[in-house]
Amino acid sequence: MSTAERAIAGLKEIVGDVGLVLGSDLAMRSCDPFRTVPPRGGVLVRPANTAQVSAVLRWCHAHGQRIVTHGGRTGVAAAAYADEDEVVLSLERLRRIEEIDPVGQLVVTEAGITLEGLQQAVEAQGLFYPIDLGAKGSATIGGTIATNAGGNRVVRWGMTRANVLGLEAVLADGTVVCAMNRLVKNNTGYDVKHDFIGSEGTLGVITRAVLKLVPAPNTQQVMLASLPSFAAVLQLLGAARRLHTLSAFEVMWQDYYALVARSGGYACPLTPEQPFYVLLETMGYQQGVDERLFGTFVEEAFNAGWIADAAEATSERQIAELWRVREGSEALMREMNPFVAFDVSVDIRRAEEFVNDVRRHLARRYPDFKSVSFGHLGDNNLHLGVHIGTRTLDEEHAIERCVYEVVRQYGGALTAEHGIGRLKRPFLPEHVSAGAMDVMRRKRSAFDPDRLLNREVLF
Amino acid sequence: MSTAERAIAGLKEIVGDVGLVLGSDLAMRSCDPFRTVPPRGGVLVRPANTAQVSAVLRWCHAHGQRIVTHGGRTGVAAAAYADEDEVVLSLERLRRIEEIDPVGQLVVTEAGITLEGLQQAVEAQGLFYPIDLGAKGSATIGGTIATNAGGNRVVRWGMTRANVLGLEAVLADGTVVCAMNRLVKNNTGYDVKHDFIGSEGTLGVITRAVLKLVPAPNTQQVMLASLPSFAAVLQLLGAARRLHTLSAFEVMWQDYYALVARSGGYACPLTPEQPFYVLLETMGYQQGVDERLFGTFVEEAFNAGWIADAAEATSERQIAELWRVREGSEALMREMNPFVAFDVSVDIRRAEEFVNDVRRHLARRYPDFKSVSFGHLGDNNLHLGVHIGTRTLDEEHAIERCVYEVVRQYGGALTAEHGIGRLKRPFLPEHVSAGAMDVMRRKRSAFDPDRLLNREVLF
């Protein structure tokens, strides 16, 4: 019996036929959001509930069977790729919302529901889950927790970690860890949920969660502004932080904004002549007051000379259009195809200098490179795209080495929100301290001594 | 050579005479904020820096020497108590602020500085560290991180965990774990700082930290209101959550408010005739606007019938007086001496029912008991004080068992913010799931296999 046959026979006992995806059905699934990369092991198991997840993991543990966990497969760090000797464990059948509590301001849910599905369910009750991503239609709650997803509104509401009250996870040996805390204040022992948040599926499989909600905002302002200097960007950020309603502060370097503006298909209200562009969003609860405060803020920013020009959205459609400029991925795909993408964090004060240094390093090696820079500056997070013509993918690793070396010199983060996965694994040990690596290894050995879960991920 | 003599000789090599506190100097220190409980081992070592902390722990590890870590010794769960075979490790000489970054909005500090010392240093630069506690003059930053301290402003800014960007800790074997992250978004591997936050000194000794700051608020409103019912309290809380400026929502049951009002020495502006009293505080950045919004909020609460009567503070002095009512510990000490104190969390919707149930359970056993209830309701956190006359301390454990049984039935938390320490250790396994206990044990074994650090704490 082959490994796959053994797994199919053993797992069918637990989950039945409906709980297995095999053959051509499986071959149509991709582990990558952009390319077709089917799981190579040929077996996907999809348990119906926590008890089945536990039984599946117990069986795998008893048979030394490696597992790769699948949420919505929208991650860009290859953490969902599965090798020939790996069985895929999908949470897709655990997608029930168990309870929405408007007083405790929380939702209790299974992990396989999509982010968008959850957002819509809580919004129907006047509540709001603030984590928001482009991939929300496919990304699952479990996946966003396992990767500590970020997105555009971290400046106000924090990363996913800050929005998880409790969770349930299953360890590699099948042990169910129920930590479904619903209380804001709870110091009853170690807060074990944090072990699983951001662990990229290496310490356990997240099956359920309790998420924190806020009242649904009913005001929103979005402005696109052009700024004459990086100093002006920092001034504007400092002032914006005193707006309680600030929900996004997105910076675009001229190279990015000009590329999107030139590319066509975008409603770009400002000419691409200034060095920086900022998309600023507020969300609040005080109709009238919020608008007035925002107006005063913009006026003061103009008077102080921080803003050269600005366009405010006055309709839902315009809001969506301005956000499309910031999320201009089609333009990038078209104008810089293919490109190497970076998701790093740096000291805000040095972000301009950092980008210039990266460009200098790239220019030395690739005189005709093209790059764009943009990101969630209030959270330190910069995204860079680098293109060097048709050789781009051949040179991918060398380009990464070049950029990450500058990141390291600046004490920056190798990954701000996308995670390490398989892709950035070679770079991890250079970007954390030896002591932190030691703790990571101790934890992984304690939770999964046989390294059965997502073995090729992280380290 | 006795154990103490051996430790003194070994540790003096590392820290010198100035790094040891012995004999009568040590006997004058208490491990308890309310009573005189000197460390029983007779040796306190106070290293000057991280390298010395590491060397001390390496020495202890090599000699199987148990250690109890001391911050400001303000904890009320007896986590700082030290047995005869335990050496005390104090962080009191690590109290330097290394850097304040107004753009990154963070402070880099050694762990031994007091909370108040840190607050003052950052306020001098227009910044604000939102964690605030009665014990801030003595409590240290390291201690507040190790216990994940809460306090009054959690409803706005979260527990200590939410305000720590990075930290450095030393493991029991002397391994220095540098995780001094300064970036809001950073998913570079497991976020190991969370292992140490709230671990009550059992997983490592925190030596340095990076803390998140916010711009210092320049507006503040404080109101004391009386409310006709618990339903009204919930309505008021729901509305208050839409005030961006909300910084505290403190509820007092009539038994508490009446006791403080009767006790004398307090400026209680409202008569103690309503079932509930709420202290509501806002802090903001928009002079004029914040006051107006608060005024509208209060007016609407009156019109809706949620508030029966209210008194707004109109000066710094009145603000302090209203807060003194909420923190009326002298009154409790006087009127209910001695009392058993509780720090639990429950589902907000069931808080009234919970308190009534606790009272019913107590009345069955102690017909002439007295109790008071108050707390940070927006965070689920209730504090209860129970007094049954002169037998109170003899019955302490039985009273605890009685109350914690109700907590368990309500799915509440054994401790919201004070921690487990030695005092609540017997109750821990009944209040977390078997799987969560399993994870806690795995972690402790991975970080400190010999259980040298704070051995009697937690489990």
Side-chain angles (χ1 to χ4, degrees), chain A residues 50-104:
Chain A
T50 303
Q52 285 192 3
V53 173
S54 172
V56 165
L57 288 170
R58 265 200 315 277
W59 185 92
C60 291
H61 186 251
H63 295 81
Q65 174 62 56
R66 291 169 54 187
I67 301 114
V68 168
T69 304
H70 274 191
R73 296 167 287 135
T74 59
V76 295
Y81 283 39
D83 291 341
E84 274 179 23
D85 60 347
E86 289 179 318
V87 160
V88 172
L89 169 60
S90 167
L91 278 296
E92 66 195 54
R93 288 171 72 203
L94 279 78
R95 50 169 184 258
R96 197 167 59 90
I97 291 185
E98 300 176 8
E99 185 191 344
I100 297 174
D101 169 3
V103 178

Short mmCIF file of all heavy atoms in Angstrom, two decimals, chain A residues 50-104:
data_model
loop_
_atom_site.label_atom_id
_atom_site.label_comp_id
_atom_site.label_asym_id
_atom_site.label_seq_id
_atom_site.Cartn_x
_atom_site.Cartn_y
_atom_site.Cartn_z
N THR A 50 -14.55 19.67 15.25
CA THR A 50 -13.32 19.58 16.04
C THR A 50 -12.98 18.14 16.39
O THR A 50 -11.81 17.74 16.34
CB THR A 50 -13.45 20.41 17.33
OG1 THR A 50 -13.75 21.76 16.96
CG2 THR A 50 -12.17 20.38 18.14
N ALA A 51 -13.99 17.36 16.75
CA ALA A 51 -13.73 15.96 17.13
C ALA A 51 -13.08 15.20 15.96
O ALA A 51 -12.14 14.43 16.16
CB ALA A 51 -15.03 15.28 17.55
N GLN A 52 -13.57 15.46 14.77
CA GLN A 52 -12.96 14.80 13.60
C GLN A 52 -11.55 15.33 13.32
O GLN A 52 -10.66 14.56 12.94
CB GLN A 52 -13.85 14.97 12.36
CG GLN A 52 -15.10 14.08 12.39
CD GLN A 52 -15.82 14.05 11.05
OE1 GLN A 52 -15.37 14.65 10.07
NE2 GLN A 52 -16.93 13.34 11.00
N VAL A 53 -11.36 16.63 13.50
CA VAL A 53 -9.99 17.18 13.33
C VAL A 53 -9.05 16.46 14.28
O VAL A 53 -7.95 16.03 13.91
CB VAL A 53 -9.96 18.71 13.58
CG1 VAL A 53 -8.51 19.21 13.57
CG2 VAL A 53 -10.79 19.45 12.53
N SER A 54 -9.49 16.31 15.52
CA SER A 54 -8.67 15.65 16.53
C SER A 54 -8.40 14.20 16.14
O SER A 54 -7.26 13.71 16.24
CB SER A 54 -9.37 15.73 17.88
OG SER A 54 -8.69 14.95 18.83
N ALA A 55 -9.42 13.50 15.68
CA ALA A 55 -9.24 12.10 15.28
C ALA A 55 -8.29 11.98 14.08
O ALA A 55 -7.45 11.09 14.03
CB ALA A 55 -10.60 11.46 14.96
N VAL A 56 -8.43 12.89 13.13
CA VAL A 56 -7.53 12.89 11.97
C VAL A 56 -6.08 13.10 12.42
O VAL A 56 -5.16 12.39 11.99
CB VAL A 56 -7.95 13.99 10.96
CG1 VAL A 56 -6.83 14.26 9.95
CG2 VAL A 56 -9.25 13.60 10.25
N LEU A 57 -5.89 14.07 13.31
CA LEU A 57 -4.52 14.34 13.75
C LEU A 57 -3.97 13.19 14.60
O LEU A 57 -2.79 12.86 14.51
CB LEU A 57 -4.47 15.68 14.50
CG LEU A 57 -4.64 16.89 13.56
CD1 LEU A 57 -4.83 18.18 14.35
CD2 LEU A 57 -3.43 17.03 12.64
N ARG A 58 -4.83 12.57 15.39
CA ARG A 58 -4.37 11.40 16.17
C ARG A 58 -3.92 10.29 15.22
O ARG A 58 -2.89 9.66 15.43
CB ARG A 58 -5.50 10.88 17.07
CG ARG A 58 -5.46 11.43 18.48
CD ARG A 58 -6.26 10.55 19.47
NE ARG A 58 -7.56 10.16 18.97
CZ ARG A 58 -8.65 10.92 19.03
NH1 ARG A 58 -8.60 12.13 19.58
NH2 ARG A 58 -9.80 10.46 18.56
N TRP A 59 -4.71 10.07 14.17
CA TRP A 59 -4.34 9.03 13.21
C TRP A 59 -3.00 9.38 12.54
O TRP A 59 -2.10 8.53 12.44
CB TRP A 59 -5.43 8.88 12.13
CG TRP A 59 -5.15 7.73 11.20
CD1 TRP A 59 -5.58 6.44 11.34
CD2 TRP A 59 -4.32 7.77 10.03
NE1 TRP A 59 -5.08 5.67 10.32
CE2 TRP A 59 -4.30 6.45 9.51
CE3 TRP A 59 -3.59 8.76 9.39
CZ2 TRP A 59 -3.58 6.11 8.36
CZ3 TRP A 59 -2.86 8.42 8.25
CH2 TRP A 59 -2.86 7.11 7.75
N CYS A 60 -2.87 10.61 12.12
CA CYS A 60 -1.62 11.03 11.46
C CYS A 60 -0.44 10.90 12.42
O CYS A 60 0.66 10.45 12.04
CB CYS A 60 -1.74 12.47 10.96
SG CYS A 60 -2.89 12.66 9.58
N HIS A 61 -0.66 11.28 13.68
CA HIS A 61 0.40 11.20 14.68
C HIS A 61 0.84 9.75 14.87
O HIS A 61 2.04 9.45 14.92
CB HIS A 61 -0.13 11.80 15.99
CG HIS A 61 0.90 11.91 17.06
ND1 HIS A 61 0.90 11.11 18.18
CD2 HIS A 61 1.98 12.72 17.18
CE1 HIS A 61 1.93 11.44 18.94
NE2 HIS A 61 2.60 12.40 18.36
N ALA A 62 -0.14 8.86 14.94
CA ALA A 62 0.18 7.44 15.14
C ALA A 62 0.93 6.86 13.94
O ALA A 62 1.70 5.91 14.09
CB ALA A 62 -1.12 6.65 15.38
N HIS A 63 0.72 7.43 12.77
CA HIS A 63 1.33 6.89 11.56
C HIS A 63 2.46 7.76 11.00
O HIS A 63 2.92 7.54 9.89
CB HIS A 63 0.26 6.68 10.46
CG HIS A 63 -0.74 5.64 10.84
ND1 HIS A 63 -1.81 5.90 11.68
CD2 HIS A 63 -0.82 4.31 10.56
CE1 HIS A 63 -2.51 4.79 11.86
NE2 HIS A 63 -1.94 3.81 11.20
N GLY A 64 2.90 8.74 11.78
CA GLY A 64 3.99 9.60 11.32
C GLY A 64 3.65 10.34 10.04
O GLY A 64 4.55 10.66 9.25
N GLN A 65 2.38 10.60 9.83
CA GLN A 65 1.92 11.23 8.60
C GLN A 65 2.01 12.76 8.71
O GLN A 65 1.42 13.35 9.58
CB GLN A 65 0.46 10.83 8.33
CG GLN A 65 -0.20 11.53 7.17
CD GLN A 65 0.49 11.22 5.84
OE1 GLN A 65 0.63 10.07 5.46
NE2 GLN A 65 0.95 12.26 5.16
N ARG A 66 2.73 13.39 7.79
CA ARG A 66 2.84 14.85 7.77
C ARG A 66 1.56 15.49 7.24
O ARG A 66 0.87 14.89 6.42
CB ARG A 66 4.03 15.28 6.92
CG ARG A 66 5.37 14.92 7.54
CD ARG A 66 6.51 15.12 6.56
NE ARG A 66 6.50 16.46 6.00
CZ ARG A 66 7.30 16.87 5.02
NH1 ARG A 66 8.16 16.02 4.49
NH2 ARG A 66 7.23 18.10 4.59
N ILE A 67 1.28 16.71 7.72
CA ILE A 67 0.03 17.42 7.37
C ILE A 67 0.34 18.86 6.98
O ILE A 67 1.19 19.50 7.58
CB ILE A 67 -0.93 17.47 8.59
CG1 ILE A 67 -1.27 16.07 9.06
CG2 ILE A 67 -2.20 18.26 8.27
CD1 ILE A 67 -0.73 15.77 10.42
N VAL A 68 -0.38 19.35 5.98
CA VAL A 68 -0.37 20.78 5.67
C VAL A 68 -1.81 21.28 5.81
O VAL A 68 -2.73 20.68 5.24
CB VAL A 68 0.15 21.04 4.24
CG1 VAL A 68 -0.12 22.49 3.82
CG2 VAL A 68 1.63 20.73 4.16
N THR A 69 -2.01 22.35 6.58
CA THR A 69 -3.36 22.85 6.82
C THR A 69 -3.75 23.89 5.78
O THR A 69 -2.95 24.77 5.45
CB THR A 69 -3.46 23.44 8.23
OG1 THR A 69 -3.06 22.45 9.17
CG2 THR A 69 -4.89 23.86 8.55
N HIS A 70 -4.98 23.78 5.28
CA HIS A 70 -5.50 24.75 4.31
C HIS A 70 -6.66 25.55 4.87
O HIS A 70 -7.62 24.99 5.39
CB HIS A 70 -5.98 24.03 3.05
CG HIS A 70 -4.89 23.79 2.06
ND1 HIS A 70 -5.12 23.36 0.78
CD2 HIS A 70 -3.53 23.93 2.17
CE1 HIS A 70 -3.97 23.23 0.13
NE2 HIS A 70 -2.98 23.55 0.96
N GLY A 71 -6.54 26.88 4.76
CA GLY A 71 -7.67 27.76 4.97
C GLY A 71 -8.18 28.16 3.59
O GLY A 71 -8.57 27.31 2.79
N GLY A 72 -8.08 29.46 3.27
CA GLY A 72 -8.56 29.92 1.97
C GLY A 72 -7.51 29.93 0.88
O GLY A 72 -7.77 30.32 -0.25
N ARG A 73 -6.29 29.53 1.22
CA ARG A 73 -5.17 29.44 0.25
C ARG A 73 -4.92 30.77 -0.47
O ARG A 73 -4.66 30.80 -1.65
CB ARG A 73 -5.46 28.31 -0.76
CG ARG A 73 -5.52 26.94 -0.10
CD ARG A 73 -6.10 25.89 -1.02
NE ARG A 73 -7.52 26.08 -1.19
CZ ARG A 73 -8.15 26.02 -2.35
NH1 ARG A 73 -7.49 25.80 -3.46
NH2 ARG A 73 -9.46 26.19 -2.41
N THR A 74 -5.01 31.85 0.29
CA THR A 74 -4.74 33.16 -0.29
C THR A 74 -3.36 33.68 0.12
O THR A 74 -2.96 34.76 -0.32
CB THR A 74 -5.80 34.18 0.14
OG1 THR A 74 -5.79 34.26 1.57
CG2 THR A 74 -7.19 33.76 -0.31
N GLY A 75 -2.66 32.95 0.97
CA GLY A 75 -1.35 33.40 1.44
C GLY A 75 -0.34 33.44 0.31
O GLY A 75 -0.42 32.65 -0.63
N VAL A 76 0.58 34.41 0.40
CA VAL A 76 1.55 34.60 -0.68
C VAL A 76 2.95 34.14 -0.29
O VAL A 76 3.92 34.48 -0.94
CB VAL A 76 1.58 36.08 -1.13
CG1 VAL A 76 0.24 36.46 -1.75
CG2 VAL A 76 1.92 37.01 0.04
N ALA A 77 3.06 33.37 0.81
CA ALA A 77 4.37 32.91 1.26
C ALA A 77 4.53 31.40 1.08
O ALA A 77 5.44 30.80 1.64
CB ALA A 77 4.59 33.31 2.72
N ALA A 78 3.63 30.79 0.31
CA ALA A 78 3.72 29.36 -0.01
C ALA A 78 3.56 28.44 1.19
O ALA A 78 4.00 27.30 1.17
CB ALA A 78 5.03 29.05 -0.75
N ALA A 79 2.90 28.92 2.24
CA ALA A 79 2.72 28.09 3.43
C ALA A 79 1.71 26.97 3.18
O ALA A 79 1.66 26.01 3.94
CB ALA A 79 2.27 28.95 4.62
N ALA A 80 0.91 27.07 2.13
CA ALA A 80 -0.11 26.04 1.86
C ALA A 80 0.37 24.99 0.87
O ALA A 80 -0.35 24.03 0.59
CB ALA A 80 -1.39 26.70 1.34
N TYR A 81 1.58 25.14 0.35
CA TYR A 81 2.11 24.14 -0.58
C TYR A 81 2.25 22.80 0.16
O TYR A 81 2.58 22.76 1.33
CB TYR A 81 3.49 24.57 -1.09
CG TYR A 81 3.46 25.64 -2.16
CD1 TYR A 81 2.56 26.69 -2.12
CD2 TYR A 81 4.36 25.58 -3.23
CE1 TYR A 81 2.55 27.67 -3.11
CE2 TYR A 81 4.36 26.56 -4.23
CZ TYR A 81 3.45 27.60 -4.15
OH TYR A 81 3.44 28.57 -5.12
N ALA A 82 1.98 21.73 -0.55
CA ALA A 82 2.06 20.41 0.09
C ALA A 82 2.92 19.47 -0.75
O ALA A 82 2.74 19.36 -1.96
CB ALA A 82 0.66 19.83 0.27
N ASP A 83 3.85 18.79 -0.08
CA ASP A 83 4.75 17.85 -0.76
C ASP A 83 4.07 16.49 -0.93
O ASP A 83 2.98 16.25 -0.43
CB ASP A 83 6.03 17.69 0.07
CG ASP A 83 6.86 18.95 0.05
OD1 ASP A 83 6.66 19.79 -0.85
OD2 ASP A 83 7.70 19.11 0.96
N GLU A 84 4.80 15.58 -1.60
CA GLU A 84 4.23 14.28 -1.90
C GLU A 84 3.87 13.47 -0.66
O GLU A 84 2.91 12.71 -0.67
CB GLU A 84 5.21 13.47 -2.76
CG GLU A 84 5.02 13.80 -4.23
CD GLU A 84 5.99 13.05 -5.12
OE1 GLU A 84 6.50 11.99 -4.70
OE2 GLU A 84 6.25 13.54 -6.23
N ASP A 85 4.65 13.64 0.40
CA ASP A 85 4.36 12.86 1.61
C ASP A 85 3.50 13.64 2.61
O ASP A 85 3.48 13.33 3.78
CB ASP A 85 5.66 12.39 2.26
CG ASP A 85 6.55 13.56 2.66
OD1 ASP A 85 6.28 14.71 2.22
OD2 ASP A 85 7.50 13.34 3.45
N GLU A 86 2.79 14.65 2.12
CA GLU A 86 1.95 15.45 3.02
C GLU A 86 0.48 15.33 2.65
O GLU A 86 0.11 15.44 1.48
CB GLU A 86 2.39 16.92 2.99
CG GLU A 86 3.74 17.12 3.67
CD GLU A 86 4.24 18.56 3.64
OE1 GLU A 86 4.11 19.22 2.59
OE2 GLU A 86 4.79 19.00 4.67
N VAL A 87 -0.34 15.11 3.67
CA VAL A 87 -1.79 15.12 3.50
C VAL A 87 -2.27 16.55 3.78
O VAL A 87 -1.77 17.20 4.70
CB VAL A 87 -2.45 14.13 4.49
CG1 VAL A 87 -3.93 14.45 4.71
CG2 VAL A 87 -2.27 12.70 4.00
N VAL A 88 -3.20 17.02 2.96
CA VAL A 88 -3.77 18.35 3.22
C VAL A 88 -4.98 18.22 4.15
O VAL A 88 -5.84 17.36 3.93
CB VAL A 88 -4.19 19.04 1.90
CG1 VAL A 88 -4.96 20.33 2.20
CG2 VAL A 88 -2.96 19.34 1.05
N LEU A 89 -5.01 19.06 5.19
CA LEU A 89 -6.15 19.11 6.11
C LEU A 89 -6.85 20.44 5.86
O LEU A 89 -6.28 21.50 6.13
CB LEU A 89 -5.63 19.01 7.55
CG LEU A 89 -6.63 19.31 8.68
CD1 LEU A 89 -7.81 18.37 8.63
CD2 LEU A 89 -5.93 19.20 10.03
N SER A 90 -8.07 20.37 5.31
CA SER A 90 -8.80 21.61 5.02
C SER A 90 -9.90 21.84 6.06
O SER A 90 -10.59 20.91 6.47
CB SER A 90 -9.43 21.53 3.62
OG SER A 90 -10.36 22.59 3.47
N LEU A 91 -10.06 23.11 6.45
CA LEU A 91 -11.07 23.46 7.45
C LEU A 91 -12.37 23.90 6.78
O LEU A 91 -13.24 24.48 7.44
CB LEU A 91 -10.53 24.58 8.36
CG LEU A 91 -9.62 24.20 9.53
CD1 LEU A 91 -10.41 23.36 10.53
CD2 LEU A 91 -8.36 23.48 9.12
N GLU A 92 -12.52 23.63 5.49
CA GLU A 92 -13.63 24.25 4.73
C GLU A 92 -15.02 23.86 5.21
O GLU A 92 -15.98 24.57 4.93
CB GLU A 92 -13.47 23.93 3.23
CG GLU A 92 -13.62 22.46 2.91
CD GLU A 92 -13.09 22.15 1.50
OE1 GLU A 92 -11.94 22.49 1.22
OE2 GLU A 92 -13.83 21.57 0.72
N ARG A 93 -15.11 22.75 5.94
CA ARG A 93 -16.46 22.37 6.41
C ARG A 93 -16.78 22.95 7.79
O ARG A 93 -17.92 22.82 8.26
CB ARG A 93 -16.59 20.85 6.42
CG ARG A 93 -16.67 20.27 5.00
CD ARG A 93 -16.56 18.77 5.00
NE ARG A 93 -17.74 18.11 5.51
CZ ARG A 93 -17.74 16.87 6.02
NH1 ARG A 93 -16.60 16.19 6.09
NH2 ARG A 93 -18.85 16.34 6.46
N LEU A 94 -15.82 23.58 8.40
CA LEU A 94 -16.08 24.22 9.71
C LEU A 94 -16.35 25.70 9.46
O LEU A 94 -15.46 26.53 9.67
CB LEU A 94 -14.88 24.05 10.65
CG LEU A 94 -14.78 22.70 11.39
CD1 LEU A 94 -14.24 21.63 10.49
CD2 LEU A 94 -13.93 22.84 12.64
N ARG A 95 -17.56 26.02 9.04
CA ARG A 95 -17.79 27.41 8.69
C ARG A 95 -19.07 27.98 9.31
O ARG A 95 -19.68 28.89 8.79
CB ARG A 95 -17.83 27.59 7.17
CG ARG A 95 -18.73 26.64 6.43
CD ARG A 95 -18.89 27.07 4.98
NE ARG A 95 -19.83 26.17 4.38
CZ ARG A 95 -19.50 25.15 3.58
NH1 ARG A 95 -18.24 24.94 3.26
NH2 ARG A 95 -20.44 24.37 3.08
N ARG A 96 -19.42 27.46 10.47
CA ARG A 96 -20.64 27.90 11.14
C ARG A 96 -20.33 29.04 12.10
O ARG A 96 -19.35 28.98 12.84
CB ARG A 96 -21.23 26.73 11.92
CG ARG A 96 -22.69 26.89 12.33
CD ARG A 96 -23.25 25.54 12.80
NE ARG A 96 -22.48 25.02 13.92
CZ ARG A 96 -22.77 25.28 15.20
NH1 ARG A 96 -23.79 26.04 15.52
NH2 ARG A 96 -22.03 24.76 16.16
N ILE A 97 -21.15 30.09 12.07
CA ILE A 97 -21.08 31.11 13.11
C ILE A 97 -21.96 30.63 14.24
O ILE A 97 -23.15 30.35 14.05
CB ILE A 97 -21.56 32.47 12.58
CG1 ILE A 97 -20.54 32.99 11.57
CG2 ILE A 97 -21.74 33.47 13.72
CD1 ILE A 97 -20.82 34.38 11.07
N GLU A 98 -21.38 30.50 15.43
CA GLU A 98 -22.12 29.90 16.53
C GLU A 98 -22.93 30.92 17.32
O GLU A 98 -24.00 30.61 17.82
CB GLU A 98 -21.14 29.16 17.46
CG GLU A 98 -20.39 28.06 16.73
CD GLU A 98 -19.34 27.37 17.61
OE1 GLU A 98 -19.31 27.64 18.82
OE2 GLU A 98 -18.56 26.57 17.06
N GLU A 99 -22.41 32.15 17.42
CA GLU A 99 -23.11 33.13 18.25
C GLU A 99 -22.55 34.52 17.99
O GLU A 99 -21.36 34.69 17.78
CB GLU A 99 -22.88 32.79 19.74
CG GLU A 99 -23.67 33.67 20.70
CD GLU A 99 -23.22 33.50 22.16
OE1 GLU A 99 -22.54 32.50 22.47
OE2 GLU A 99 -23.55 34.38 22.96
N ILE A 100 -23.44 35.50 17.98
CA ILE A 100 -23.00 36.90 17.95
C ILE A 100 -23.57 37.56 19.19
O ILE A 100 -24.77 37.51 19.44
CB ILE A 100 -23.52 37.61 16.67
CG1 ILE A 100 -22.91 36.96 15.43
CG2 ILE A 100 -23.18 39.10 16.71
CD1 ILE A 100 -23.47 37.48 14.11
N ASP A 101 -22.69 38.15 20.01
CA ASP A 101 -23.11 38.76 21.27
C ASP A 101 -22.91 40.27 21.17
O ASP A 101 -21.79 40.77 21.25
CB ASP A 101 -22.28 38.17 22.42
CG ASP A 101 -22.47 38.92 23.74
OD1 ASP A 101 -23.27 39.87 23.80
OD2 ASP A 101 -21.79 38.54 24.72
N PRO A 102 -23.99 41.04 21.02
CA PRO A 102 -23.85 42.49 20.81
C PRO A 102 -23.43 43.23 22.08
O PRO A 102 -22.91 44.33 21.99
CB PRO A 102 -25.25 42.91 20.35
CG PRO A 102 -26.17 41.82 20.77
CD PRO A 102 -25.37 40.58 20.94
N VAL A 103 -23.66 42.65 23.26
CA VAL A 103 -23.26 43.32 24.51
C VAL A 103 -21.78 43.06 24.79
O VAL A 103 -21.00 43.97 25.04
CB VAL A 103 -24.14 42.88 25.69
CG1 VAL A 103 -23.67 43.54 26.98
CG2 VAL A 103 -25.60 43.21 25.42
N GLY A 104 -21.41 41.78 24.75
CA GLY A 104 -20.00 41.44 24.91
C GLY A 104 -19.19 41.88 23.69
O GLY A 104 -17.97 41.91 23.73
#
